[in-house]
Amino acid sequence: MSEHVYKMIELTGSSTQSSDDAVRVALTKAAKTLRNMHWFEVLETRGHIEEGKVLHWQVTLKVGLRLED
């Protein structure tokens, strides 16, 4: 069995649709330039409110990247 080492980074994604979509936005964008993303953890969820309605969601993630051998 191979032993793995991970680097952790933080990303923040936003969406007008939902907090789940904000996660997808962050990971999709990061996948364009990062390799070996293996897991994520939601650290914070925030939103912008205007006139009593949520205008957009913002989610901060911790992402684990497996380092290459």
Side-chain angles (χ1 to χ4, degrees):
M1 182 174 151
S2 175
E3 296 176 351
H4 300 294
V5 175
Y6 294 88
K7 176 178 179 65
M8 292 187 302
I9 63 168
E10 283 190 16
L11 301 172
T12 301
S14 62
S15 170
T16 57
Q17 304 302 309
S18 68
S19 58
D20 286 351
D21 193 50
V23 170
R24 282 192 271 293
V25 166
L27 294 175
T28 299
K29 180 79 169 188
K32 292 179 180 180
T33 59
L34 298 173
R35 296 188 309 267
N36 300 324
M37 291 191 301
H38 280 266
W39 56 266
F40 73 91
E41 175 184 354
V42 174
L43 300 177
E44 296 179 333
T45 303
R46 294 174 298 281
H48 178 163
I49 302 167
E50 196 169 296
E51 296 180 13
K53 296 185 181 183
V54 177
L55 289 188
H56 74 272
W57 297 86
Q58 192 175 59
V59 179
T60 299
L61 314 167
K62 185 187 314 182
V63 179
L65 308 166
R66 185 179 44 80
L67 298 180
E68 296 176 348
D69 293 329

